[in-house]
Amino acid sequence: MKANIPNLDVLEYGGSNWSIWHHTVWTAFGSRGLQPYVEGLAVKPRIFTPTNSDNLSSEDLDKMKNTLTAYNEWVQKDSYAQEIILTNVGPEDKRLLTALKTSKACWDKICEKYRARATASVMDLTLRLPRLRMAEDDDMKELFRQMNEIRDDFAGTGEEFTKRELNVAIYLAIPESYAASFQTVPADKRDDKGLVEPDYLMTHLLTEFNN
């Protein structure tokens, strides 16, 4: 099997796509039977060494053969897991990981580096969205560009804003004098809670105010 994963972007050095990258790579490990190696649950076999190498029994030879086969299989699979990790990170992280000897060591190191950053990124984006504001003479297109940029960055962490969160964010961001335009959204465009699909709501407001 190939180590590159279709449709997966290389892990960004800043970790902006960490959650999606982590989920996709972990799923790839599972489909290839590699998760136990990355978790450290698949223990590296020892090659049987007889006490008396001058007088080997057939049982000794079988043990040597079987343990050598198991050892080689472990090395092959663990190396494959390492290759997947190294193929799908950028050059800076590759340098960080190349000295490590096992896939578990590589996975633990990359998770340690980016997990805390991803959590901080989610918190930052969650706070930024409802703080967006537009003045009367500002360009509404620019407001929605910024809002969609935050949505895209949030999606890159593996999270997604709810319809309610986005409806509220749009309502808070536009000037109070524009708020009445929410009431002109057709009833068939609202769900049973009165919420509107964010992309439609943005288009509606841009049309209302000829932006």
Side-chain angles (χ1 to χ4, degrees), residues 134-151:
M134 169 190 166
E136 291 279 354
D137 56 349
D138 285 346
D139 183 357
M140 189 179 288
K141 287 181 181 177
E142 175 58 20
L143 168 70
F144 291 155
R145 185 198 67 76
Q146 293 177 34
M147 191 169 288
N148 285 326
E149 185 176 87
I150 292 174
R151 290 172 70 188

Side-chain angles (χ1 to χ4, degrees), residues 15-154:
S16 60
N17 63 337
W18 164 252
S19 293
I20 289 177
W21 185 93
H22 177 274
H23 175 76
T24 306
V25 173
W26 185 250
T27 302
F29 287 148
S31 67
R32 293 160 171 78
L34 301 175
Q35 286 181 357
Y37 296 84
V38 178
E39 290 180 294
L41 300 177
V43 179
K44 186 177 184 179
R46 291 174 174 240
I47 300 174
F48 174 71
T49 303
T51 54
N52 184 1
S53 58
D54 295 328
N55 186 21
L56 296 176
S57 66
S58 59
E59 184 179 353
D60 288 337
L61 291 172
D62 285 342
K63 283 184 179 179
M64 290 176 64
K65 179 181 178 181
N66 291 338
T67 55
L68 181 60
T69 299
Y71 175 86
N72 288 336
E73 181 181 346
W74 187 95
V75 170
Q76 183 180 32
K77 288 192 174 182
D78 192 73
S79 297
Y80 182 30
Q82 287 186 67
E83 184 183 3
I84 289 174
I85 297 169
L86 292 170
T87 300
N88 292 285
V89 299
E92 297 87 355
D93 286 322
K94 201 168 291 186
R95 285 193 289 272
L96 175 70
L97 302 175
T98 47
L100 301 177
K101 303 299 183 184
T102 65
S103 61
K104 182 181 187 306
C106 290
W107 189 247
D108 287 350
K109 176 65 73 174
I110 206 74
C111 287
E112 176 188 359
K113 178 177 179 180
Y114 285 109
R115 191 169 282 140
R117 293 189 189 185
T119 301
S121 178
V122 167
M123 292 178 64
D124 175 63
L125 292 166
T126 302
L127 293 172
R128 279 172 56 197
L129 180 71
R131 290 176 178 169
L132 289 175
R133 293 293 185 273
M134 169 190 166
E136 291 279 354
D137 56 349
D138 285 346
D139 183 357
M140 189 179 288
K141 287 181 181 177
E142 175 58 20
L143 168 70
F144 291 155
R145 185 198 67 76
Q146 293 177 34
M147 191 169 288
N148 285 326
E149 185 176 87
I150 292 174
R151 290 172 70 188
D152 290 343
D153 289 345
F154 201 57

